[in-house]
Amino acid sequence: MIQVTRYEHPEFTSNTYLIQIDDHEDAWLIDAGFVDEVLQIPGIKVQGVFLTHDHYDHIYGLNNLIIRFPEITIYGSKYTLDCIKDARKNLSFYRQMPVEVLHLNVHVLQDGDLIFLHHTEQILCMETPGHNPGCMSYIIDKLLFTGDSFIPGHPVITKLKGGNKELNAISLKKIEGLIVQGMHIYPGHKEIYSNPELHQLKPLE
Ligand SMILES: [Zn+2]
């Protein structure tokens, strides 16, 4: 049984998702914008964090996470893993709160990679560029984590540095093709969409 908990950053509104399987102490995160409450959970062992992209609001808590879990694996596209090291690239510099993450245990993801979580579940990693060149979306069973590549009911922002409208259109088609009945959508901002009507989930370009 997969349990997902959403934590919204009080200022940036970005979502961080905690994934727990059955009652195991091992856990994983999708993004790490706001980890304060995760760090308070007694006995939890966060094994890895899967980044949807490098923007500061999705990585702001990474360094605190690493202090608590020095062995943690950071997963992401090559672009994302490069940009988290550079405050100008991840845009945190321009918000007067530079975030630079220098961590050795990183795992570069390619489109279609499958990573085991706890030997029982797998996470499928998909490149969904457009909002940003390094964007990835993730699927575990019928749970779809889209970051800022798809927020139901909201157009994808492609105006930031590295954004690309054409790539975004291709990625939205890809995401649309993945949506099946009974799916739960966990976007990078806003609420979780549980068991939505499929027609409500047509991506906006
Ligand atoms: Zn973003």
Side-chain angles (χ1 to χ4, degrees):
M1 173 81 178
I2 304 169
Q3 202 190 329
V4 182
T5 313
R6 179 174 80 103
Y7 299 95
E8 186 181 54
H9 193 290
E11 185 188 344
F12 311 144
T13 76
S14 49
N15 288 328
T16 295
Y17 295 105
L18 175 70
I19 297 166
Q20 293 167 289
I21 300 168
D22 299 324
D23 293 323
H24 294 292
E25 60 196 3
D26 292 348
W28 288 265
L29 290 175
I30 307 287
D31 285 340
F34 183 60
V35 299
D36 299 19
E37 290 175 38
V38 174
L39 297 179
Q40 305 296 323
I41 301 172
I44 197 165
K45 289 184 181 159
V46 180
Q47 300 290 337
V49 51
F50 291 84
L51 298 177
T52 61
H53 63 302
D54 64 82
H55 286 154
Y56 67 92
D57 50 335
H58 299 263
I59 65 163
Y60 195 64
L62 265 184
N63 281 324
N64 282 342
L65 197 64
I66 292 165
I67 290 168
R68 167 84 189 272
F69 306 105
E71 310 287 317
I72 195 169
T73 305
I74 304 178
Y75 297 88
S77 63
K78 185 173 185 319
Y79 183 91
T80 296
L81 294 175
D82 283 343
C83 292
I84 62 174
K85 297 183 218 163
D86 185 326
R88 283 184 171 78
K89 290 183 181 168
N90 64 47
L91 309 180
S92 58
F93 176 82
Y94 307 101
R95 300 284 304 237
Q96 269 77 50
M97 46 183 185
V99 184
E100 298 195 327
V101 180
L102 302 169
H103 185 59
L104 290 176
N105 193 12
V106 296
H107 183 127
V108 177
L109 296 172
Q110 313 281 351
D111 192 45
D113 277 357
L114 276 169
I115 307 283
F116 267 103
L117 307 181
H118 215 24
H119 313 295
T120 51
E121 303 289 340
Q122 284 183 308
I123 184 164
L124 171 64
C125 312
M126 290 162 305
E127 292 172 354
T128 52
H131 171 69
N132 166 282
C135 281
M136 298 207 77
S137 296
Y138 301 100
I139 289 189
I140 309 169
D141 195 21
K142 281 191 174 179
L143 317 181
L144 172 59
F145 299 86
T146 53
D148 291 356
S149 296
F150 175 46
I151 299 172
H154 297 268
V156 177
I157 293 165
T158 54
K159 282 182 283 194
L160 298 170
K161 202 161 95 182
N164 184 307
K165 264 187 155 180
E166 287 72 36
L167 282 177
N168 173 56
I170 295 166
S171 292
L172 284 175
K173 287 263 174 293
K174 186 172 178 179
I175 290 169
E176 194 181 3
L178 293 165
I179 296 173
V180 295
Q181 202 74 46
M183 197 151 223
H184 303 265
I185 305 207
Y186 299 83
H189 296 263
K190 313 282 181 191
E191 301 288 322
I192 299 165
Y193 280 65
S194 289
N195 279 316
E197 293 297 321
L198 288 183
H199 70 267
Q200 293 179 317
L201 290 173
K202 192 139 177 53
L204 298 172
E205 287 177 25

